[in-house]
Amino acid sequence: MKVLVPVKRVLDPYVKVRVKQDKSGVDLSNAKMAMNPFCEIAVEQAVRLKEQGVASEVVVVSAGPQQSQETLRTGLAMGADRGVLIPTDVALEPLAIAKLLKAVVDKEDPGLVLMGKQAVDGDNNQTGQMLAALLGWAQGTFISKVELQDGAAQVTREIDGGLETLQVKLPAVLTVDLRLCEPRYASLPNIMKAKKKPIDTHSPEDLGVDVTPRLQVSRVEEPPARQAGIKVESVQELVKKLHEEAKVI
Amino acid sequence: MPSYTAPLRDMRFVYHELIDGDSLQELPAYAEATPDTVDAVLEEAGKLCRDVLQPLNRGGDEEGCTYENGVVRTPAGFKEAYAAFVEGGWPSLAADPDYGGQGLPHLLNTLVEELICSANLSFGTYPGLTHGAYRALHAHASQELKDRYLPKLAEGTWTGTMCLTEPHCGTDLGLVRTKAETNDDGSYAISGTKIYISCGEHDLAENIVHLVLARLPGAPAGTKGISLFVVPKFLPNEDGTPGVRNGVSCGGIEHKMGLNASATCVMNFEGATGWLVGESNKGMRQMFTMMNLARLAVGIQGIGLSEASYQGAVQYAHDRKQGRGLNGPRYPDRKADPIVVHPDVRRMLLTMRAYTEGMRALGAWVAREADIADAHPDADRRQQGDDLVALMTPVVKALFTDLGYDVTNLGVQIHGGSGYVRETGMEQFVRDCRIAQIYEGANGIQGLDLVGRKMPAHTGRSLRRFFHPVANFLAEHQDNKELAPFVQPLSKGFGRLQTVTGWLAQKGLSDPEEAGAAATDYLRLIGLVALGYMWARTAQVALAHTGDDGDGFYAAKLATARFFMQKLLPQTGALVSQIMSGKDALMDVPESAFALSA
Ligand SMILES: Cc1cc2nc3c(=O)[nH]c(=O)nc-3n(C[C@H](O)[C@H](O)[C@H](O)COP(=O)(O)OP(=O)(O)OC[C@H]3O[C@@H](n4cnc5c(N)ncnc54)[C@H](O)[C@@H]3O)c2cc1C
């Protein structure tokens, strides 16, 4: 079974986010970028499925600026077999990405799409669900455990009240949560091998997808600076402050 | 413990923009070192250092290594971390593909080593010595020995050591007493005691390969009678697996000022089986292959610790609020301003940064020349690289570790009392750095190597390999107005260096004590000028990017370059006076004057 893993290039989560002066968005010039951490988890899981002999091939796909190729290389260094790059300088929205991915799924015909539950740039948490809907496939979201057998996936989902276990028919779209697995460090030999693994390129036009944004960002602002903490003298004072100032109790 | 982020932006700057490391790709040996590979390697090494090695640094320092009945245990977590390091293939980075290496440039390895040293210096000694042993065997051992040991060392499943020091001999290796006697099968029986042997015994690897200096029967006295032997902890079986235990054992470990997670061992050789590496009585020369590389690597330790300390200091300078800006409060809504507003704190921070980044640039330039010396198809170009590396090896070793000590000390100072307290981790950097000024040849010896050996070598040819590029740079940019604030101070410092060099060449020739008296100051002088050269080149690159500087990286480079030129490079003036006052103030003092008075 072929597994398709979409991966996104985002601002490195270890880097401090700077808002552009004109408040039109986040300043990415010269900023350090990295693979979205949830995508890393999806790649790791896919590679494990391959190592277990469940998956036959792992294909990573990324839509975004040309440099998303580096993100694909990261996935290849972790153990994916080949990459698909969809280069575009348009700021992609979840629906556009879902449509692009659908086009890739139509070409590649994977048995499973494993992807992050969200990307840490927009925190939208939509692409996986939209992709499943466009494909008419089953979906399992926020999964923290997965087992594949007999054409179905047993997945454990992290939900508000606890854990939910579902049986999802394949092919399916599964979106992964933080606790599914710990991504590996790419080994040096695999980093070197990754360079020689193939990456196909398809433009959004090739795939017949119109990626024109449908939303307009009016303003991006930094969250208000955190106030310094204070020490309270007594429990009573704490309760009073929580009640009257913080209004949480 | 300060958090640590690999300084990848600066490393990429140095590699790709400043010293044109990418030109190494044109050498057939380094065709794999494409810019994207270099970046990917740095990126992944940075992650491993941040997530696996750095979290063990403080605990490793507190717990240290333990010794019991000849067995040495590394602190909690080291075994697993080393396994991950080996699993990731990192020991093979700069090793020869013929022996399982990745064949990447020494330059890249140098940057990765810096990351490791920042994250966990003690940890870094194990793979560091392994790579040194690898290089010495690769350069000098017979094919049979290479086939037996190199793949294991490149894998990191076996680690290496260098066994030089004995109780009565450190700097003066001509005094080595350990003996080697001939066995019937062509091997040798090695007997003697070595002390202070880093990584001599530990629990990280399945076998340990000692490179030992010893004397053959009837060998001439002094350094001309020393041979190099490879002595494994377990004798390898025919199939390469570790076999029976050899006659070498650890008699104890030292309790030290720092570097506590690196086992410093007394090693007893009792008729241990060893094999001669290369020719007999040429051991010193062969060991120098290992030592020169190790000296460069020790210099890199200075950078790594400086960077780690600087990162801690920067965070603290923003967080800690004390006092008010001298020209009025900067943050009137708070009770006090962060200490980063104070001129003296800025002096410390900028000193730390200017030295750290300057050393990174200089170290990388020297490493690139080492790659050229190894792999350039043209013999003349190889020779040029070799000359520059030879000249700069003592400078990198001594200057970087002395500055590393100064920088880590400033890191403590910026933290005030909390820097002196163990918890913040700042004082550990100072203690860990201290040894780097001593081992691999105490820094005073590096000065002697520079003025006694490297400076006069081939009638000053090595020196010219440094002087020419600086002179050319200055000539090329003498009319560049924008660059003048960098070119002029460099030109002044360089002029001083030339004057002193001429003076010293004259004086030292007729009176070696004059050379000896000037050595340490001269090393600092040439080191400062070399850093000034790197900063001027940095400014040149940065000036071309003022238009595309979204994150202010190049502006920060220019500001730091300016600081270096105005506040640090002028030290050259004082050094000139110190040096040219000659030896008298030192040597006219009778030895009896050093007696302790009651
Ligand atoms: C933690 C640690 C790890 C070590 N690891 C190793 C290792 O792995 N392998 C190994 O073989 N050794 C190792 N050493 C030993 C180290 O290399 C020596 O300590 C070092 O070379 C200095 O030798 P020494 O201690 O005998 O000092 P000495 O040689 O006694 O020197 C004392 C002082 O005198 C000065 N001095 C000596 N001779 C001269 C001279 N001719 N001219 C001017 N000044 C001079 C020196 O600069 C120094 O300041 C290690 C030591 C330590 C503490």
Side-chain angles (χ1 to χ4, degrees):
Chain A
M1 179 181 64
K2 187 193 285 187
V3 180
L4 190 76
V5 186
V7 295
K8 191 173 190 188
R9 178 181 146 94
V10 300
L11 190 68
D12 186 313
Y14 283 86
V15 170
K16 192 167 178 292
V17 178
R18 281 176 286 118
V19 170
K20 282 190 198 156
Q21 285 210 315
D22 63 4
K23 305 200 167 174
S24 62
V26 170
D27 188 357
L28 296 180
S29 56
N30 297 327
K32 185 160 177 298
M33 307 297 280
M35 186 189 289
N36 174 42
F38 291 106
C39 302
E40 275 189 321
I41 296 170
V43 175
E44 174 65 34
Q45 186 60 47
V47 172
R48 287 186 192 185
L49 289 173
K50 183 164 179 213
E51 287 167 350
Q52 290 156 12
V54 178
S56 54
E57 189 185 26
V58 176
V59 181
V60 282
V61 48
S62 189
Q66 183 64 33
Q67 299 93 315
S68 301
Q69 188 166 341
E70 294 161 20
T71 313
L72 291 173
R73 293 278 176 220
T74 305
L76 296 172
M78 288 174 72
D81 298 293
R82 57 192 178 84
V84 176
L85 176 67
I86 310 169
T88 168
D89 288 323
V90 176
L92 295 173
E93 289 167 5
L95 184 58
I97 301 175
K99 286 180 182 169
L100 292 170
L101 293 177
K102 173 172 188 299
V104 175
V105 169
D106 290 343
K107 271 185 189 303
E108 293 280 347
D109 193 26
L112 175 67
V113 176
L114 254 181
M115 58 200 287
K117 69 167 182 178
Q118 65 193 66
V120 297
D121 50 1
D123 275 343
N124 287 309
N125 180 5
Q126 297 170 3
T127 307
Q129 294 88 331
M130 288 176 170
L131 175 62
L134 290 173
L135 288 167
W137 287 9
Q139 61 177 290
T141 52
F142 316 146
I143 67 166
S144 59
K145 216 175 143 195
V146 59
E147 254 168 72
L148 300 182
Q149 57 200 171
D150 309 331
Q154 275 259 343
V155 300
T156 304
R157 306 181 62 228
E158 298 193 346
I159 57 172
D160 279 350
L163 299 175
E164 179 183 55
T165 305
L166 293 180
Q167 173 109 342
V168 182
K169 206 168 81 213
L170 296 180
V173 176
L174 300 180
T175 76
V176 309
D177 214 326
L178 207 59
R179 277 159 291 272
L180 177 65
C181 59
E182 177 109 8
R184 71 191 60 195
Y185 299 98
S187 73
L188 187 59
N190 283 344
I191 295 172
M192 306 287 286
K193 275 185 216 140
K195 267 201 328 189
K196 302 195 174 82
K197 292 181 179 174
I199 293 182
D200 294 334
T201 303
H202 307 294
S203 69
E205 297 76 52
D206 294 344
L207 297 172
V209 177
D210 176 11
V211 294
T212 316
R214 297 155 165 244
L215 303 171
Q216 203 186 334
V217 175
S218 35
R219 206 166 65 244
V220 175
E221 284 183 66
E222 309 230 354
R226 222 174 64 189
Q227 299 290 315
I230 50 159
K231 279 195 179 143
V232 291
E233 297 295 331
S234 63
V235 175
Q236 283 87 333
E237 192 191 339
L238 175 66
V239 172
K240 194 161 164 240
K241 281 200 186 296
L242 288 174
H243 184 65
E244 290 172 6
E245 288 173 28
K247 299 195 166 57
V248 291
I249 54 171
Chain B
M1 189 165 53
S3 65
Y4 170 70
T5 315
L8 298 185
R9 177 72 181 92
D10 196 40
M11 289 189 166
R12 286 198 300 266
F13 168 77
V14 167
Y15 196 107
H16 303 302
E17 296 177 63
L18 185 62
I19 62 150
D20 191 19
D22 293 324
S23 61
L24 291 176
Q25 278 177 87
E26 289 151 23
L27 310 182
Y30 298 131
E32 297 276 341
T34 55
D36 51 338
T37 299
V38 168
D39 289 353
V41 168
L42 288 174
E43 178 87 38
E44 203 62 20
K47 271 195 228 165
L48 192 77
C49 288
R50 179 191 66 206
D51 299 343
V52 178
L53 303 187
Q54 199 260 358
L56 298 176
N57 194 33
R58 279 280 302 128
D61 180 52
E62 293 289 345
E63 186 186 338
C65 294
T66 48
Y67 174 86
E68 205 181 343
N69 294 330
V71 176
V72 176
R73 286 202 178 76
T74 53
F78 271 60
K79 236 176 136 158
E80 294 75 13
Y82 188 74
F85 191 81
V86 168
E87 173 97 352
W90 295 101
S92 70
L93 197 148
D96 182 346
D98 285 348
Y99 301 98
Q102 297 299 330
L104 288 167
H106 180 63
L107 169 58
L108 182 57
N109 199 42
T110 298
L111 294 176
V112 170
E113 279 180 356
E114 184 204 314
L115 299 172
I116 298 169
C117 293
S118 289
N120 196 326
L121 185 71
S122 286
F123 180 92
T125 58
Y126 299 91
L129 280 155
T130 304
H131 189 55
Y134 170 92
R135 292 273 293 215
L137 289 172
H138 190 268
H140 303 293
S142 67
Q143 192 59 44
E144 195 187 340
L145 291 178
K146 284 192 200 178
D147 290 341
R148 176 149 302 169
Y149 292 101
L150 293 185
K152 299 287 188 183
L153 292 169
E155 255 171 36
T157 42
W158 296 6
T159 62
T161 75
M162 51 191 272
C163 301
L164 287 62
T165 308
E166 297 179 11
H168 62 285
C169 82
T171 301
D172 189 356
L173 290 168
L175 302 174
V176 159
R177 271 187 210 146
T178 298
K179 17 171 237 207
E181 281 160 330
T182 323
N183 293 333
D184 294 340
D185 63 355
S187 68
Y188 295 82
I190 313 288
S191 304
T193 297
K194 296 283 179 182
I195 63 165
Y196 299 162
I197 303 309
S198 296
C199 317
E201 177 59 39
H202 57 78
D203 56 357
L204 302 181
E206 63 177 33
N207 203 357
I208 301 176
V209 182
H210 304 286
L211 289 190
V212 185
L213 288 185
R215 251 173 224 295
L216 285 163
T223 50
K224 292 200 168 64
I226 294 177
S227 305
L228 180 64
F229 298 87
V230 53
V231 183
K233 174 177 168 185
F234 294 102
L235 296 170
N237 293 321
E238 274 310 311
D239 65 356
T241 54
V244 296
R245 183 77 194 238
N246 200 357
V248 47
S249 61
C250 175
I253 58 174
E254 307 296 339
H255 302 280
K256 315 191 288 287
M257 175 179 183
L259 204 72
N260 287 325
S262 170
T264 307
C265 305
V266 176
M267 299 305 298
N268 297 318
F269 295 84
E270 293 159 305
T273 305
W275 288 269
L276 182 67
V277 177
E279 272 180 71
S280 58
N281 296 336
K282 294 273 163 60
M284 278 305 283
R285 207 192 302 156
Q286 289 145 6
M287 194 53 122
F288 259 104
T289 307
M290 184 163 182
M291 271 192 321
N292 278 334
L293 179 87
R295 285 179 174 176
L296 291 171
V298 170
I300 303 309
Q301 298 180 351
I303 311 179
L305 292 169
S306 294
E307 173 68 34
S309 182
Y310 175 69
Q311 292 194 13
V314 164
Q315 292 163 46
Y316 194 78
H318 287 294
D319 288 348
R320 178 68 174 169
K321 287 158 198 95
Q322 288 291 294
R324 286 297 190 186
L326 290 171
N327 291 345
R330 295 285 174 86
Y331 298 85
D333 52 324
R334 299 192 200 150
K335 291 209 178 86
D337 287 338
I339 59 174
V340 68
V341 307
H342 303 309
D344 193 55
V345 172
R346 286 168 171 249
R347 171 190 64 80
M348 293 193 274
L349 282 175
L350 280 160
T351 301
M352 296 176 82
R353 184 158 91 197
Y355 280 148
T356 307
E357 293 177 8
M359 290 190 285
R360 179 174 297 128
L362 178 57
W365 181 42
V366 175
R368 192 197 73 164
E369 292 299 304
D371 283 319
I372 287 170
D374 271 358
H376 203 282
D378 176 52
D380 283 346
R381 187 63 188 89
R382 278 204 304 276
Q383 186 64 55
Q384 285 175 19
D386 205 47
D387 289 342
L388 186 87
V389 174
L391 177 77
M392 282 296 168
T393 297
V395 177
V396 167
K397 197 283 175 178
L399 179 79
F400 289 14
T401 57
D402 283 348
L403 292 182
Y405 185 74
D406 292 348
V407 167
T408 52
N409 212 6
L410 289 173
V412 169
Q413 194 67 18
I414 286 176
H415 277 68
S418 62
Y420 193 70
V421 165
R422 294 263 268 258
E423 207 171 81
T424 53
M426 297 302 291
E427 55 83 56
Q428 184 189 343
F429 299 136
V430 183
R431 288 185 288 107
D432 283 359
C433 196
R434 192 64 189 81
I435 183 56
Q437 297 170 285
I438 299 171
Y439 58 21
E440 297 302 340
N443 283 0
I445 305 304
Q446 304 302 323
L448 292 180
D449 180 40
L450 178 65
V451 299
R453 238 174 290 174
K454 303 299 170 57
M455 214 171 89
H458 316 290
T459 55
R461 192 179 73 201
S462 293
L463 206 54
R464 287 195 292 280
R465 298 292 187 224
F466 172 61
F467 280 17
H468 283 174
V470 179
N472 291 343
F473 179 88
L474 290 172
E476 198 180 321
H477 297 289
Q478 61 179 352
D479 298 326
N480 183 338
K481 283 225 169 53
E482 253 190 330
L483 209 56
F486 310 99
V487 166
Q488 279 168 6
L490 175 62
S491 168
K492 203 161 169 180
F494 184 54
R496 287 171 173 155
L497 175 63
Q498 285 174 305
T499 309
V500 169
T501 304
W503 179 88
L504 191 60
Q506 285 282 316
K507 278 270 182 187
L509 217 53
S510 56
D511 183 355
E513 273 185 359
E514 284 286 3
T520 291
D521 287 338
Y522 183 79
L523 188 146
R524 177 62 66 108
L525 176 62
I526 194 172
L528 283 170
V529 172
L531 293 178
Y533 172 54
M534 298 322 289
W535 272 118
R537 282 176 58 179
T538 297
Q540 184 207 353
V541 176
L543 281 169
H545 285 278
T546 39
D548 59 336
D549 193 18
D551 58 350
F553 177 83
Y554 297 104
K557 281 287 180 200
L558 286 171
T560 313
R562 219 169 281 124
F563 173 86
F564 183 86
M565 296 299 171
Q566 292 176 16
K567 301 286 188 191
L568 298 176
L569 192 57
Q571 295 170 66
T572 50
L575 288 164
V576 171
S577 312
Q578 284 165 231
I579 294 170
M580 293 182 47
S581 70
K583 72 168 190 176
D584 295 352
L586 303 173
M587 300 317 284
D588 286 355
V589 184
E591 257 173 69
S592 58
F594 290 106
L596 299 177
S597 50

